[in-house]
């Protein structure tokens, strides 16, 4: 006999098979999309068009899947069905990699493959060459793990070309890479080039190796955000040459951490050339660099040259070394200097030679030996020419503009407005309300989304949570929303129920010169307030929404300046009160002037949006 629950469930399934029309959209009445359409119509007292861009962001879950996953969430058991949940709900999740039992007893040439876990690759290999080409290239989420790579090998060469280039979110780990290797070499070329969010870890890299050289060429160039770490790099090595060429060049907000680098090595030769060159806000940490080394030769050339601000720290550098030669050439000669700190530099060393040439004015040296240290040139002034170079690099042409430039016939540059976030969808409220959302519950969140300790995904979630929990700026009202209904609630709480939401139609014209066509003034061009919503990187679609007072919002036709054809429909917002903005804000670097002295306009980028009072 069927119980009451089974009867109700069968009735639900039977009724949900019928299709109804809501707001011009035909579909199952119990899906998250149908539910949102009803909510929109009820809260805003008008029907949402079936082509509205916001509908494409609502959860694609079926009625049955939505009910099933909601039940799992209520019992704190989503983790048991995570792959299915991520796929069905269109979320951003990392794949689960099980340990690989593959063995590679001979030289292997890999080309074009993704997401692998190599547990014991190339161990005890004699001579020969292993080559990786186009490894995990041009993908959205890349998870790779190498354990015991080339361990105890002799005279063996490894080569990585185009490793994870042009990928979006990359999490890669090398454990005991080249440990106890003798002779041979490793070469990484185009490593994580143009990656959006890299998180790279090398642990016990070439420890206890003998004459085994490593070369990194074009390492993490043109990346955005992310973190890199090298632990126990070349520890106890003998005659090991390490060469980093073009490390972190043109990167934005990249963090690098070197710990135990060349510690107690004998005859090490380490070269960093063009380190963090032309980068924006780099954060570099070197700890226990060359400590206890014997007859080491370490060289940094063009360190942080032409970079913008940032924070670098060297701790316990060449401590207790013997006969070391350490040279810094062109250190931190940057525009908008950041902070460089040297602590315990050359402390307790014997017979060392340390030289500095051309380094920035914001450098602090503490507890270093004065004997044998050469300071050739100390920069007390920033370079005007260098400042112009950095401005042109990190404030993209057209990213900010003045209100007077929004006139028909005006030709202006448009920045890259393409959304670089991984594609995701909102969650239904029935599921969202049952998932924790606070930094204090990060361990529970990591369990739900299968994020390990010190993992990229764990860091991504924690960063987003902390930004959402940050106290609002003076005069700001803010909220992070993970459902379309929550976004409607926040917008209407600030602006009332007579609202509209807008975004730029497409990305045509990005990184090119465009011509302004017809211009429309939202709300009659009145000085008003809006609610702007910007994406945050998180497993489900998450927006940081905040009220923006004293703005004017415009719609403008965007034309191809050569053919005069319309290629886009842009939405632009002009901030009329910039008095609380930082004097170092990119808008003032690009446009001149300073806080409170000018208005600043910008386009609404792809998949971002602005809510305003509806035109009457």
């Amino acid at each position: 006999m069927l119980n009451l629950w089974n009867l109700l469930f069968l009735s639900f399934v039977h009724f949900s098979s019928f299709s109804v029309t809501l707001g011009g959209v035909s579909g199952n009445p119990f899906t998250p999309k149908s539910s949102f359409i009803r909510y929109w119509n009820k809260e805003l007292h008008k029907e949402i068009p079936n082509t509205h861009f916001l509908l494409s962001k609502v959860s694609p879950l079926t009625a049955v899947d939505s009910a099933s996953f909601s039940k799992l969430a209520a019992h704190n058991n989503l983790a048991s069905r995570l792959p299915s949940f991520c796929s069905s709900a269109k979320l951003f999740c990392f794949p689960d990699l099980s340990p690989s039992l593959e063995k590679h007893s001979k030289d292997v040439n890999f080309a074009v493959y993704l997401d692998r876990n190599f547990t014991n690759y190339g161990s005890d290999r004699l001579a020969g060459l292993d080559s990786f080409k186009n490894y995990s290239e041009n993908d959205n989420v890349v998870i790779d793990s190498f354990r015991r790579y080339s361990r105890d090998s002799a005279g063996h060469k490894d080569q990585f070309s185009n490793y994870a280039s042009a990928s979006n979110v990359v999490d890669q780990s090398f454990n005991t890479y080249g440990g106890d290797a003798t002779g041979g070499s490793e070469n990484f070329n185009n490593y994580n080039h143009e990656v959006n969010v890299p998180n790279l870890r090398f642990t016990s890299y070439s420890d206890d190796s003998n004459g085994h050289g490593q070369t990194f060429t074009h390492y993490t160039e043109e990346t955005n955000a992310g973190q890199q770490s090298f632990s126990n790099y070349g520890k106890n090595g003998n005659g090991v040459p390490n060469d980093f060429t073009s490390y972190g060049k043109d990167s934005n907000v990249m963090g690098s951490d070197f710990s135990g680098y060349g510690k107690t090595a004998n005859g090490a030769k380490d070269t960093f050339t063009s380190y963090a060159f032309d980068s924006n806000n780099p954060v570099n940490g070197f700890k226990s660099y060359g400590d206890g080394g014997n007859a080491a030769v370490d060289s940094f050339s063009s360190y942080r040259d032409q970079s913008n601000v940032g924070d670098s720290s060297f701790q316990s550098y060449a401590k207790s070394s013997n006969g070391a030669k350490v040279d810094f050439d062109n250190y931190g000669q940057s525009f908008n200097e950041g902070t460089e700190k040297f602590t315990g530099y050359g402390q307790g060393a014997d017979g060392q030679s340390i030289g500095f040439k051309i380094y920035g004015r914001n450098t602090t040296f503490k507890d270093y030996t004065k004997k044998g240290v050469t300071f050739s040139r100390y920069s007390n002034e920033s370079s005007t020419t260098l400042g112009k170079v950095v401005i042109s690099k990190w404030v993209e042409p057209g990213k900010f503009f003045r209100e007077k430039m929004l006139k028909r016939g005006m030709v202006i540059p448009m920045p890259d407005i393409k959304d670089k976030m991984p594609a995701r969808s909102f969650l239904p409220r029935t599921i969202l309300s049952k998932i924790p959302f606070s930094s204090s519950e990060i361990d529970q969140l990591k369990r739900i989304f299968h994020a390990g300790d010190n993992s990229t995904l764990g860091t991504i979630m924690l960063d987003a949570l902390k930004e959402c929990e940050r106290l609002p700026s003076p005069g700001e009202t803010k909220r992070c929303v993970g459902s379309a209904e929550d976004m409607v609630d926040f917008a209407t709480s600030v602006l009332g129920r007579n609202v509209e939401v807008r975004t730029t139609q497409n990305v045509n014209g990005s990184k090119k010169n465009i011509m302004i066509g017809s211009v429309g003034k939202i709300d009659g061009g009145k000085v008003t307030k809006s609610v702007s919503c910007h994406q945050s990187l998180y497993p489900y679609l998450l927006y940081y929404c905040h009220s923006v007072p004293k703005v004017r919002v415009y719609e403008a036709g965007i034309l191809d300046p050569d053919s005069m054809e319309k290629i886009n429909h842009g939405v632009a917002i002009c901030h009329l009160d910039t008095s609380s903005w930082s004097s170092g804000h990119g808008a003032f670097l690009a446009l001149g002037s300073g806080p409170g002295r000018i208005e600043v306009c910008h386009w609404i980028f792809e998949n971002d949006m602005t809510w305003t009072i509806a035109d009457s």
Side-chain angles (χ1 to χ4, degrees):
M1 179 179 293
L2 293 175
N3 60 31
L4 180 60
W5 164 252
N6 288 331
L7 285 171
L8 289 173
F9 182 76
L10 288 173
S11 299
F12 163 76
V13 172
H14 175 73
F15 183 62
S16 67
S17 65
F18 288 94
S19 177
V20 298
T21 300
L22 292 167
V25 180
S26 177
N28 187 306
F30 294 101
T31 63
K33 185 165 291 188
S34 295
S35 177
F36 174 67
I37 291 170
R38 291 193 298 271
Y39 194 81
W40 173 285
N41 296 343
K42 176 174 72 76
E43 294 297 317
L44 302 184
H45 308 302
K46 55 185 172 184
E47 289 192 352
I48 184 171
N50 60 5
T51 58
H52 201 287
F53 71 92
L54 196 56
L55 282 176
S56 66
K57 306 182 187 309
V58 177
S59 176
L61 285 172
T62 65
V64 173
D65 280 346
S66 182
S68 174
F69 290 124
S70 178
K71 185 177 180 180
L72 286 172
H75 290 84
N76 196 25
N77 203 25
L78 268 178
S80 66
R81 295 275 308 279
L82 183 67
S84 174
F85 178 50
C86 291
S87 176
S88 302
K90 195 181 176 182
L91 306 185
F92 162 66
C93 301
F94 280 25
D96 293 329
L97 290 184
S98 58
S100 169
L101 300 178
E102 296 181 39
K103 293 184 178 180
H104 305 281
S105 58
K106 58 182 181 179
D107 296 342
V108 179
N109 186 342
F110 288 96
V112 191
Y113 65 95
L114 304 170
D115 296 338
R116 299 294 292 273
N117 186 342
F118 290 91
T119 304
N120 199 0
Y121 186 91
S123 294
D124 302 307
R125 190 72 55 83
L126 296 177
L129 168 68
D130 284 334
S131 175
F132 287 78
K133 298 179 181 179
N134 299 327
Y135 184 94
S136 300
E137 190 173 26
N138 197 27
D139 198 36
N140 184 29
V141 181
V142 176
I143 310 292
D144 300 316
S145 175
F146 285 82
R147 305 178 67 87
R148 296 187 179 181
Y149 187 94
S150 286
R151 186 173 181 179
D152 295 312
S153 63
H156 185 70
K157 295 182 179 180
D158 303 306
Q159 182 174 334
F160 286 82
S161 301
N162 292 324
Y163 188 96
S165 295
S167 294
N168 189 20
V169 180
V170 176
D171 185 287
Q172 292 164 344
S173 175
F174 283 82
N175 295 333
T176 60
Y177 186 99
D180 293 297
T182 300
S185 63
E186 279 113 23
N187 181 26
F188 283 80
N189 190 41
N190 273 335
Y191 186 90
N192 280 274
H193 183 73
E194 293 184 333
V195 168
N196 189 25
V197 185
N199 186 19
L200 316 173
R201 294 176 302 279
F202 284 82
T203 307
S204 297
Y205 188 96
S206 286
D207 285 11
D208 300 298
S209 61
N210 182 34
H212 188 73
Q214 292 90 32
T215 300
F216 286 83
T217 307
H218 304 300
Y219 187 94
T220 59
E221 284 193 12
E222 299 184 56
T223 59
N224 182 43
Q227 181 69 32
Q228 303 165 156
S229 69
F230 285 81
S231 301
N232 289 330
Y233 187 99
K235 182 179 179 181
N236 297 326
N238 181 42
V240 177
N242 299 314
D243 185 12
F244 283 81
T245 304
S246 196
Y247 183 96
K249 183 179 179 182
D250 293 325
S251 292
N252 182 36
V253 200
M254 170 59 76
S256 299
D257 185 14
F258 284 79
S259 301
Y261 188 98
K263 186 174 181 179
T264 60
N266 181 44
K269 184 179 180 180
D270 303 318
T271 302
F272 283 82
T273 305
S274 190
Y275 185 96
F277 182 85
D278 203 15
S279 56
N280 183 43
N281 195 20
V283 180
N284 305 308
F286 286 81
K287 297 178 182 179
S288 299
Y289 186 98
D291 285 11
N294 181 46
V297 179
D298 298 323
S299 174
F300 281 80
S301 300
S302 295
Y303 184 91
R304 289 192 69 254
D305 194 27
Q306 299 190 28
S307 293
N308 182 38
V309 298
D311 186 5
S312 300
S313 173
F314 283 80
Q315 297 181 33
S316 190
Y317 189 92
K319 181 179 179 181
S320 303
S321 59
N322 179 42
K325 182 180 180 181
V326 185
D327 186 27
F328 278 80
D329 187 9
N330 201 1
Y331 179 88
Q333 175 73 1
S334 56
F335 173 73
N336 278 348
E337 284 93 340
T339 302
E340 292 89 33
K341 182 171 66 174
F342 283 80
T343 306
Y345 187 91
Q347 194 172 26
D350 183 41
Q352 83 282 17
S353 173
I354 301 172
F356 275 78
K357 299 177 182 178
I358 316 176
Y359 58 92
R361 58 183 176 179
N362 274 3
T363 304
T364 301
F365 292 88
K366 293 183 179 180
D367 301 326
Y368 69 95
T369 177
K370 293 180 168 39
K371 183 179 178 181
V373 178
T374 303
F375 295 95
S376 298
R377 173 179 161 191
Y378 185 87
S379 173
N380 289 314
E381 297 180 2
S382 60
S383 168
T384 303
T385 303
L386 179 58
K388 292 178 180 178
V389 172
V390 174
I391 289 172
S392 64
K393 174 64 185 179
W394 293 113
V395 184
E396 188 179 5
K399 185 173 183 178
F400 303 104
F401 51 91
R402 300 293 301 275
E403 199 170 11
K404 63 185 179 183
M405 300 174 74
L406 283 172
K407 289 184 179 180
R408 180 190 288 269
M410 181 76 73
V411 176
I412 62 174
M414 174 174 268
D416 183 4
I417 66 169
K418 185 177 180 180
D419 174 20
K420 295 181 174 61
M421 294 279 190
R424 296 153 297 153
S425 293
F426 281 126
L427 282 180
R429 268 185 168 175
T430 54
I431 298 176
L432 185 69
S433 62
K434 299 176 179 67
I435 297 177
F437 191 77
S438 73
S439 58
S440 63
E441 298 172 293
I442 186 62
D443 288 340
Q444 187 176 348
L445 282 163
K446 285 162 63 176
R447 187 188 65 80
I448 292 173
F449 290 103
H450 296 186
D453 293 335
N454 302 316
S455 65
T456 298
L457 184 57
T459 301
I460 285 171
M461 290 193 294
L462 186 59
D463 287 347
L465 291 168
K466 287 183 176 179
E467 177 61 16
C468 290
E469 293 168 355
R470 175 186 58 81
L471 292 176
S473 303
E476 180 189 38
T477 304
K478 60 187 277 286
R479 183 182 176 186
C480 287
V481 298
S483 74
E485 291 89 346
D486 287 346
M487 183 179 283
V488 169
D489 285 353
F490 179 73
T492 54
S493 71
V494 175
L495 301 171
R497 296 186 183 275
N498 184 31
V499 295
E500 291 184 19
V501 57
R502 296 176 174 85
T503 189
T504 299
Q505 187 175 36
N506 55 56
V507 298
N508 294 340
S510 287
K511 300 193 289 188
K512 298 178 181 178
N513 284 336
I514 58 169
M515 178 178 286
I516 303 297
S518 60
V519 178
K521 299 178 180 180
I522 305 304
D523 197 18
K526 297 176 184 176
V527 178
T528 183
K529 61 181 176 180
S530 70
V531 169
S532 289
C533 295
H534 316 280
Q535 284 190 78
S536 294
L537 187 55
Y538 206 71
Y540 51 81
L541 187 58
L542 182 70
Y543 276 89
Y544 175 98
C545 294
H546 63 125
S547 64
V548 185
K550 297 183 180 178
V551 298
R552 273 193 284 263
V553 181
Y554 294 87
E555 290 183 309
I558 296 176
L559 314 179
D560 182 304
D562 297 322
S563 67
M564 305 292 288
E565 293 183 0
K566 184 176 179 180
I567 58 174
N568 203 345
H569 184 81
V571 176
I573 184 170
C574 293
H575 301 265
L576 307 181
D577 182 7
T578 60
S579 58
S580 63
W581 294 20
S582 166
S583 59
H585 194 285
F588 304 131
L589 296 180
L591 303 175
S593 195
R597 295 167 56 190
I598 60 170
E599 86 294 340
V600 172
C601 305
H602 62 83
W603 298 106
I604 301 298
F605 283 22
E606 180 186 27
N607 286 325
D608 285 350
M609 60 193 82
T610 186
W611 294 74
T612 62
I613 297 172
D615 287 329
S616 55

